[in-house]
Amino acid sequence: SHRIPLSDGNSIPLLGLGTYADPQKTPKGSCLEAVKIAIDAGYRHIDGAFVYFNEHEVGQAIREKIAEGKIKREDIFYCGKLWNTCHPPELVRPTLEKTLKILQLDYVDLYIIELPMAFKPGDALYPKDENGKFIYHETDLCATWEALEACKDAGLAKSIGVSNFNRRQLEMIMSKPGLKYKPVSNQVECHPYFTQPKLLEFCRQHDIVIVGYSPLGTSRDESWVNVSSPPLLKDPVLNAIGKKYNKTAAQIALRFNVQRGVVVIPKSFNPQRIRENFQIFDFSLTEKEMKEIEALNKNVRYVELLM
């Protein structure tokens, strides 16, 4: 029942399970188990992507839970993502169809452009030249968006949105001649050290829901994380407020965003933490506590997307 309406009449659960995983370091089957545990714990929103290489496990988990009678397909909100090598309009629908085939589902609930920049199309997901430099691709985001609109019309995606877009990029889509559907959501990094006040305000004015990734900070993986920034969950303010409610710093960080209408998708494959992250709907932060947490903003990005 903890859902927030989207501008197209659909609605998105405020808390989702992030399934980001490094295929090199993640044991086979761990995503399958995590999604099943999450569904049993009450999660109905699963955030995935083709480049996590585990959509087959996510789809299997959803289908097993449907077969058990635990859920119906329409109870689940699945978000898939269009990768950077697939921006040319003619590649959009075949890419989504490939995702649906991997999931063995008929539609995704939300399909989003993962990044507002493109790599050279082809088999390499991270194409590089002989000097190890990324090979980018000239792209027209408005044309890519039109191809997403066609996927929605075809019933392959119930809703369409974007990710890692700034205000200028959102405005470019929204002022596009002949716009059929505007983005219902923008998935960006968002947590107490990076509260996104300006982008949040802009999106609120335009009925675009912010979905916050890395809502607990991130792992300390130097290959993609700025590890010089302080770990969020050690923050004294979050821990002090947590003591008051008998909650963890993580639960306070999640509650903070949910309470201001930001959807959170913490990633965890740890059964205890998956369940713990869900226990945020049985208490409320006071206005004073919300302001204290807002004041922690350091404009620190953990995920710097150096590509």
Side-chain angles (χ1 to χ4, degrees):
S1 63
H2 312 290
R3 298 173 82 98
I4 186 168
L6 295 172
S7 56
D8 61 1
N10 203 349
S11 69
I12 183 170
L14 274 161
L15 176 70
L17 179 76
T19 59
Y20 169 78
D22 180 335
Q24 265 73 52
K25 299 173 188 165
T26 313
K28 256 192 160 122
S30 52
C31 176
L32 170 70
E33 282 314 307
V35 174
K36 292 204 290 192
I37 287 160
I39 290 172
D40 285 341
Y43 288 75
R44 295 295 177 260
H45 175 180
I46 314 290
D47 180 80
F50 175 70
V51 288
Y52 301 169
F53 297 106
N54 55 14
E55 285 191 309
H56 57 292
E57 293 187 23
V58 175
Q60 188 186 333
I62 292 170
R63 293 193 318 276
E64 282 184 21
K65 286 293 159 191
I66 292 171
E68 271 175 37
K70 174 82 187 167
I71 48 164
K72 298 187 185 73
R73 168 65 186 95
E74 56 270 25
D75 297 332
I76 291 291
F77 188 97
Y78 182 77
C79 172
K81 305 188 183 85
L82 180 77
W83 182 240
N84 316 344
T85 53
C86 311
H87 278 209
E90 67 279 6
L91 296 181
V92 173
R93 180 166 175 163
T95 303
L96 174 51
E97 285 173 338
K98 194 160 142 194
T99 278
L100 292 172
K101 201 172 166 186
I102 293 167
L103 289 162
Q104 291 183 43
L105 297 174
D106 297 331
Y107 65 89
V108 294
D109 298 272
L110 176 61
Y111 198 55
I112 62 180
I113 301 174
E114 191 156 352
L115 282 158
M117 43 79 67
F119 286 152
K120 178 182 151 231
D123 291 332
L125 290 177
Y126 297 90
K128 290 181 177 173
D129 64 17
E130 58 280 3
N131 304 314
K133 294 261 189 293
F134 283 115
I135 308 170
Y136 296 102
H137 187 69
E138 197 63 36
T139 187
D140 174 0
L141 282 172
C142 290
T144 306
W145 184 253
E146 284 171 9
L148 256 75
E149 292 179 322
C151 289
K152 177 171 160 66
D153 280 337
L156 302 178
K158 297 266 189 221
S159 297
I160 51 175
V162 297
S163 181
N164 298 302
F165 274 48
N166 61 26
R167 175 180 178 153
R168 186 176 58 83
Q169 291 151 344
L170 285 167
E171 282 177 334
M172 189 170 76
I173 300 276
M174 294 193 319
S175 59
K176 183 187 88 60
L179 180 74
K180 197 163 183 188
Y181 306 112
K182 65 179 193 184
V184 296
S185 62
N186 183 17
Q187 186 179 126
V188 294
E189 181 175 342
C190 190
H191 47 73
Y193 285 176
F194 194 57
T195 54
Q196 297 271 25
K198 286 182 178 166
L199 186 62
L200 184 58
E201 188 45 43
F202 174 79
C203 286
R204 274 192 186 134
Q205 287 166 1
H206 294 277
D207 273 340
I208 298 169
V209 170
I210 291 265
V211 176
Y213 68 73
S214 301
L216 304 174
T218 55
S219 70
R220 312 300 276 177
D221 181 338
E222 290 184 13
S223 64
W224 58 280
V225 171
N226 171 6
V227 289
S228 67
S229 45
L232 178 71
L233 299 183
K234 297 245 166 37
D235 187 87
V237 173
L238 295 178
N239 282 283
I241 296 172
K243 273 209 175 69
K244 175 184 158 184
Y245 292 103
N246 199 16
K247 295 284 178 186
T248 63
Q251 289 166 321
I252 299 301
L254 294 175
R255 178 70 212 182
F256 162 73
N257 259 334
V258 159
Q259 207 163 308
R260 57 194 200 125
V262 172
V263 173
V264 286
I265 45 169
K267 182 260 159 174
S268 180
F269 287 177
N270 172 314
Q272 187 194 336
R273 282 202 289 271
I274 289 172
R275 293 185 193 106
E276 190 182 277
N277 289 342
F278 198 76
Q279 305 304 314
I280 58 168
F281 297 109
D282 55 357
F283 75 107
S284 280
L285 297 166
T286 66
E287 211 166 312
K288 179 171 171 282
E289 288 161 347
M290 289 292 287
K291 288 209 161 47
E292 278 171 29
I293 299 171
E294 258 166 39
L296 298 175
N297 185 33
K298 305 178 193 309
N299 277 324
V300 159
R301 241 182 231 279
Y302 287 105
V303 184
E304 296 189 311
L305 296 171
L306 298 175
M307 61 174 106

